[in-house]
């Protein structure tokens, strides 16, 4: 991994290989240097595949990056430059934050950049933890985070939706620990982020309490299914699908041991079942375009009373302002509409089961695809369900219309 900084005095001084980031880089030559750095990582590596560069470029979004991106992808905007032969053919994903004033740049990158969306991570963790006042935030995140990304011709896929990343808690630790446990790092647990928005559901760390383990599994399924079925580009941390844990360590960069190792096989029955659930929900997303649209959803009418997205109360009526403003509202539904299909996502983060009335028209039939309470995910036609369904506490269901809008 190469790390550089732009020296204060560039007169005959080498680049410092130890300082992370580009510091106060703000000139064209600094930006060109940044792209020269990531370009080799986009060249096919020996044995196939890309070398997958990772670079923090938040500081470059202050006007400079827009000019450089224009030259990479849109050479007609700059007659002096041709399209970059390497970077114009790959996806560039920004981690849009850096140290210092103005370093946080979520939504500030130009197309065709994609951006890690930490607001998505925080919103979904808060909602499924059961925090108050989270329904408006989750709805915005599930619809593509338009507040940050619906500008400059950017698609809804500009938002990279993630639960966990290379630093911070793993998904298993998000549902197993209230606090970080970084004692093994040798810094008296002072290192690492303390604002993890996690919950242990009754016991800190490992437990043999079957009720707690079942609830943790349910919350894991909620988190992963919500992420995979939100508008935007989902990103999963390798190992989350098989329950990898770092024993509560959220800053494990310094370890070459079990804290960082990935269990490739011999998964427990519980984690093997979770892996199958994740695989099924991925297939549901891939096979149903409603869950991966490029257009932002704002409740646009489609005809016959259908909208591109509608937000519903459990009684089936559309949400009103009083519902959005209710701090104790933890149950609602998202209905996605298209020319020949519709989908319902029923969410209940409360401590009690909730009865949902499904819209009766203009659809002839609803079929259940996902039920996180029992770990059910069907990649086929799903199960027939009644017009009224009970969603258990802290769980979600997903249904689709079989026949689409009635003719």
């Amino acid at each position: 991994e190469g790390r550089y900084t732009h020296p204060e005095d560039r007169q005959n001084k080498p680049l410092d290989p130890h300082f992370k980031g580009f510091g106060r880089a703000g000139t064209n030559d600094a930006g060109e240097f940044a792209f020269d750095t990531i370009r080799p990582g986009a060249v096919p590596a020996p044995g196939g595949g890309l070398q997958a560069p990772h670079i923090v470029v938040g500081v470059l979004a202050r006007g400079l990056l827009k000019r450089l991106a224009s030259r990479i992808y849109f050479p007609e905007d700059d007659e002096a430059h041709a399209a970059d032969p390497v970077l114009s053919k790959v996806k560039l994903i920004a981690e849009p934050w850096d140290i210092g004033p103005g370093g946080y740049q979520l939504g500030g990158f130009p197309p065709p950049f994609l951006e890690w969306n930490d607001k998505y991570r925080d919103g979904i963790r808060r909602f499924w933890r059961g925090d108050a006042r989270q329904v408006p935030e989750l709805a915005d995140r599930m619809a593509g985070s338009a507040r940050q990304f619906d500008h400059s011709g950017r698609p809804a896929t500009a938002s990279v939706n993630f639960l966990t990343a290379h630093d911070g808690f793993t998904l298993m630790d998000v549902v197993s620990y209230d606090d970080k446990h970084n004692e093994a790092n040798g810094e008296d647990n002072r290192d690492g982020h303390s604002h993890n928005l996690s919950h242990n559901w009754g016991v800190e760390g490992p437990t043999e309490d079957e009720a707690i383990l079942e609830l943790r599994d349910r919350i894991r399924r909620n988190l992963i299914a919500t992420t995979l079925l939100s508008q935007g580009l989902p990103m999963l941390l390798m190992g989350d699908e098989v329950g990898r844990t770092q024993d509560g360590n959220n800053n494990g960069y310094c370890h070459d041991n079990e804290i960082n190792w990935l269990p490739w096989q011999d998964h427990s029955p519980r984690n093997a079942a979770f892996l199958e659930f994740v695989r099924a929900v991925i297939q549901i997303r891939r096979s149903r375009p409603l869950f991966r649209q490029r257009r932002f959803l704002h409740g646009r009418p489609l005809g016959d009373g259908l909208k591109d997205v509608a937000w519903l109360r459990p009684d089936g009526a559309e949400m009103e302002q009083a519902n959005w403003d209710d701090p104790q509202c933890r149950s609602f539904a998202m209905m996605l509409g298209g020319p020949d299909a519709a989908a319902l996502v029923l969410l209940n983060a409360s401590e009690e089961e909730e009865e949902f009335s499904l819209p009766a028209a203009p659809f002839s039939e609803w079929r259940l695809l996902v039920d996180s309470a029992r770990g059910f995910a069907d990649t086929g036609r799903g199960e027939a369900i009644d017009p009224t369904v009970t969603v258990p506490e802290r769980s979600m269901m997903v249904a689709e219309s079989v026949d689409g809008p009635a003719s």
Side-chain angles (χ1 to χ4, degrees):
E1 179 181 4
R3 297 181 178 186
Y4 313 94
T5 184
H6 224 290
E8 290 282 342
D9 178 5
R10 294 187 297 159
Q11 298 297 322
N12 300 316
K13 285 188 177 182
L15 290 170
D16 179 355
H18 303 296
F19 185 83
K20 181 179 180 181
F22 287 98
R24 286 180 287 276
T27 61
N28 280 333
D29 59 331
E32 295 278 14
F33 177 68
F35 282 108
D36 286 343
T37 298
I38 64 175
R39 189 174 289 109
V43 176
L50 299 180
Q51 297 180 46
H54 177 78
I55 186 169
V56 180
V57 292
V59 71
L60 298 179
R62 305 172 199 174
L64 168 61
L65 189 59
K66 185 174 183 178
R67 296 193 299 273
L68 293 173
S70 179
R71 283 159 51 178
I72 289 174
Y73 291 94
F74 310 110
E76 64 273 12
D77 295 339
D78 188 342
E79 296 180 359
H81 295 79
D84 188 291
V86 174
L87 297 183
S88 62
K89 295 180 175 64
V90 301
K91 293 181 174 66
L92 292 180
I93 301 176
E95 185 179 338
W97 42 81
D98 203 352
I99 58 174
Y104 187 80
Q105 294 284 322
L106 181 67
F109 284 70
F113 269 85
L114 314 179
E115 300 180 41
W116 280 19
N117 187 350
D118 63 325
K119 290 186 180 296
Y120 182 93
R121 174 200 64 202
D122 293 352
I124 188 174
R125 288 191 188 185
R126 287 191 181 101
F127 178 81
W128 284 118
R129 192 173 64 170
D131 290 12
R133 305 180 187 277
Q134 296 306 308
V135 167
E137 177 71 8
L138 183 67
D140 180 64
R141 300 303 159 204
M142 292 185 69
S145 296
R147 282 183 290 171
Q148 278 72 38
F149 299 106
D150 191 6
H151 63 82
S152 308
R154 304 186 75 178
T157 50
S159 174
V160 177
N161 301 331
F162 68 101
L163 293 168
T164 54
H166 61 277
D167 50 6
F169 276 160
T170 67
L171 177 58
M172 179 61 84
D173 289 352
V174 168
V175 301
S176 302
Y177 294 91
D178 281 353
D179 302 298
K180 64 180 181 178
H181 294 271
N182 297 352
E183 291 83 3
N185 298 356
E187 299 184 41
D188 296 323
N189 205 31
R190 294 190 304 268
D191 62 310
H193 197 30
S194 296
H195 187 60
N196 296 292
L197 300 172
S198 58
H199 189 40
N200 64 30
W201 302 103
V203 173
E204 187 76 349
T207 181
E208 296 182 0
D209 188 308
E210 190 64 22
I212 293 176
L213 293 174
E214 289 290 343
L215 182 54
R216 288 177 178 178
D217 284 350
R218 181 182 297 191
I219 301 300
R220 279 200 292 167
R221 292 191 291 262
N222 293 338
L223 289 165
I224 209 80
T226 307
T227 301
L228 289 170
L229 300 179
S230 294
Q231 305 301 318
L233 182 68
M235 182 186 81
L236 304 185
L237 175 65
M238 190 169 93
D240 278 351
E241 75 280 9
V242 292
R244 189 178 79 87
T245 177
Q246 293 182 176
D247 300 322
N249 193 317
N250 72 354
N251 195 32
Y253 73 97
C254 54
H255 294 280
D256 182 13
N257 52 39
E258 289 85 352
I259 290 177
N260 272 337
W261 294 346
L262 175 67
W264 291 99
Q265 54 190 359
D266 299 328
H267 302 130
S268 69
R270 188 178 298 279
N271 286 326
F274 184 67
L275 174 60
E276 292 307 310
F277 179 84
V278 174
R279 285 173 170 164
V281 179
I282 289 174
Q283 182 57 32
I284 290 171
R285 175 187 174 86
R286 293 182 64 184
S287 61
R288 290 160 173 83
L290 283 177
F291 293 117
R292 44 185 177 84
Q293 302 180 58
R294 291 180 58 83
R295 175 182 291 183
F296 286 95
L297 309 179
H298 294 292
R300 179 173 58 93
L302 302 178
D304 295 325
L306 190 64
K307 298 179 180 180
D308 60 2
V309 66
W311 305 100
L312 309 178
R313 302 187 311 228
D315 64 5
E318 289 204 41
M319 295 272 286
E320 298 178 351
Q321 193 59 49
N323 304 122
W324 293 113
D325 294 340
D326 181 0
Q328 301 308 317
C329 179
R330 291 179 174 85
S331 303
F332 72 112
M334 176 180 72
M335 183 168 71
L336 302 175
D340 56 8
L344 274 173
V345 181
L346 314 176
L347 305 113
N348 178 22
S350 72
E351 298 178 1
E352 305 291 337
E353 65 181 29
E354 187 74 58
E355 187 175 273
F356 280 80
S357 297
L358 308 187
F363 311 107
S364 59
E365 185 177 22
W366 289 102
R367 299 187 71 89
L368 185 68
L369 300 178
V370 175
D371 180 353
S372 71
R374 55 190 174 103
F376 171 82
D378 191 332
T379 60
R381 296 186 65 241
E383 296 179 349
I385 53 174
D386 294 330
T388 300
V389 297
T390 299
V391 180
E393 66 279 5
R394 297 192 178 101
S395 72
M396 62 183 291
M397 292 183 179
V398 180
E400 71 171 350
S401 65
V402 174
D403 300 321
S407 57

